[in-house]
Amino acid sequence: MVVPLLVPMWFLAGASAAPEGAVLPADMRIERLDNGLTVVAAPAPTPGLVAVQTWMDVGARDEVEAGMTGFAHFFEHLMFHGSESLPREAREKRLLELAVDENAWTDEDRTVYIARAPSASLRELLAVEADRFQALALTAAGVRREAGAVYGEFRKGLASPDRRIHELLRRTAFVVSTYGHPVIGLESDIAGMPEGLDRAVAFHRTYYRPERALLVVTGDIDPSAVVNAVHTTHGGWVGHPEAADAPERPREPPQTAPRDATESWEAGPVNPRIAVGWRVPAFVPGDRDSAALVLMSELLGGASASLRRRLVEDEALAWSVWVPEPRSRSAGLLEVHV
């Protein structure tokens, strides 16, 4: 099942609406509900298939408080617990009956929940999604279970030299910025997650609010019907009145000299890795420098890039070259991994 992943770049950069003057497809509808939720309904040529994506404005960069690293990713796991009216097992059974394929991911800047389904299941899928975002039921036992799963994921990652060097680069580049810690979190903080029910509840109230969400529905849809359905399913989603404000993120001081670091891999023979990062400003939709940096990443690491072709194909000096697009919402890095 292939449904295009469609997310407006203005949301990736933190804006709640398309920039003034942006040219949008004539059949796309974008609407902001009274509760602050932004809805994008965009038809695509996928007969009988739809995709629903909920993009939350919370990622590892928001983990400011001590002991909270990894919590955005942890909460991604917790969001599959269902609600009192549709508990985890009942929710999974219903989605299976609707032929829904779902997943989620977290990075430094955002948490994303993705579901693909037959278009006939769309209305009920929206209702099921709205239920968990509005009425998530967290229990101490459920938090402990998912904390164990996260710890297992962390330990599995210890066997990856690519993850090790990426974390080393970030840790070296950022002194105070929350971009310096790994998305999965520091081990000391992961170890404290099993008893983190109260922190999980507070995290949900602070960050899982409709004004911090963008709902994208694409595929074989009628945009007007989708927006009307979302008004019904998500219109009652309101923020918790006792929610604390998100803490202010620390600003990274200017860097005055190059930095470098080296680590040895003790787990066995492994090919050497090198990663280089250059400071770049936050991604801004429509900004020429932001566009140039995204293009640069493709020119350096894309399938036909001269750097990748020279190092991998012509001189056989490297197995791979990876240059992720610099789309960070705060000042970040242009990275080259070889």
Side-chain angles (χ1 to χ4, degrees), residues 6-319:
L6 174 72
V7 178
M9 290 299 103
W10 45 265
F11 182 77
L12 296 184
S16 60
E20 183 178 353
V23 179
L24 303 174
D27 55 355
M28 176 188 291
R29 279 199 61 183
I30 300 178
E31 186 168 324
R32 190 172 177 87
L33 274 58
D34 291 341
N35 60 5
L37 172 69
T38 300
V39 184
V40 176
T46 56
L49 301 175
V50 296
V52 176
Q53 309 156 14
T54 305
W55 291 69
M56 296 305 306
D57 178 12
V58 57
R61 74 169 188 153
D62 297 291
E63 298 160 353
V64 176
E65 299 168 296
M68 292 294 287
T69 67
F71 230 84
H73 168 256
F74 182 35
F75 213 85
E76 171 203 318
H77 285 245
L78 295 176
M79 280 296 292
F80 289 88
H81 278 217
S83 64
E84 290 186 4
S85 61
L86 198 63
R88 180 186 186 122
E89 292 77 13
R91 179 181 179 276
E92 290 177 353
K93 180 176 182 295
R94 187 60 188 134
L95 292 179
L96 185 62
E97 293 169 346
L98 294 171
V100 173
D101 173 34
E102 66 171 349
N103 211 327
W105 54 270
T106 308
D107 67 12
E108 290 84 359
D109 295 294
R110 58 196 69 87
T111 307
V112 184
Y113 301 88
I114 302 172
R116 305 174 185 87
S119 52
S121 300
L122 176 59
R123 183 68 181 241
E124 188 161 353
L125 171 58
L126 288 172
V128 171
E129 284 293 86
D131 178 62
R132 71 162 166 169
F133 278 92
Q134 296 178 61
L136 180 68
L138 295 176
T139 64
V143 168
R144 282 193 289 270
R145 180 175 64 246
E146 291 306 324
V150 171
Y151 216 153
E153 189 176 337
F154 171 83
R155 288 192 291 267
K156 181 180 179 181
L158 294 177
S160 169
D162 292 320
R163 196 189 88 169
R164 173 81 71 85
I165 194 168
H166 183 259
E167 292 180 0
L168 177 62
L169 174 63
R170 288 275 170 159
R171 193 166 64 246
T172 303
F174 298 107
V175 177
V176 300
S177 169
T178 45
Y179 281 154
H181 67 251
V183 172
I184 199 168
L186 302 174
E187 184 172 12
S188 58
D189 293 345
I190 296 172
M193 287 177 179
E195 304 308 317
L197 175 60
D198 290 343
R199 287 184 295 159
V201 171
F203 189 91
H204 184 261
R205 291 176 176 178
T206 298
Y207 293 105
Y208 278 71
R209 306 170 63 89
E211 65 270 22
R212 298 182 68 97
L214 176 122
L215 179 66
V216 180
V217 183
T218 185
D220 185 7
I221 63 168
D222 174 345
S224 296
V226 166
V227 172
N228 291 337
V230 172
H231 273 280
T232 301
T233 57
H234 290 69
W237 182 10
V238 295
H240 198 282
E242 299 178 6
D245 293 333
E248 184 176 351
R249 290 179 293 271
R251 184 183 296 271
E252 183 73 15
Q255 184 174 330
T256 58
R259 301 174 189 158
D260 64 84
T262 303
E263 280 191 10
S264 298
W265 183 259
E266 307 294 347
V270 67
N271 291 321
R273 268 81 167 161
I274 184 169
V276 185
W278 292 266
R279 290 197 178 279
V280 295
F283 177 81
V284 177
D287 178 73
R288 293 172 63 89
D289 286 344
S290 292
L293 286 166
V294 170
L295 177 60
M296 186 183 298
S297 69
E298 183 66 23
L299 293 175
L300 289 171
S304 60
S306 58
L307 176 65
R308 192 206 63 80
R309 190 168 60 248
R310 175 182 172 184
L311 295 181
V312 176
E313 298 175 8
D314 297 345
E315 300 184 20
L317 296 174
W319 285 106

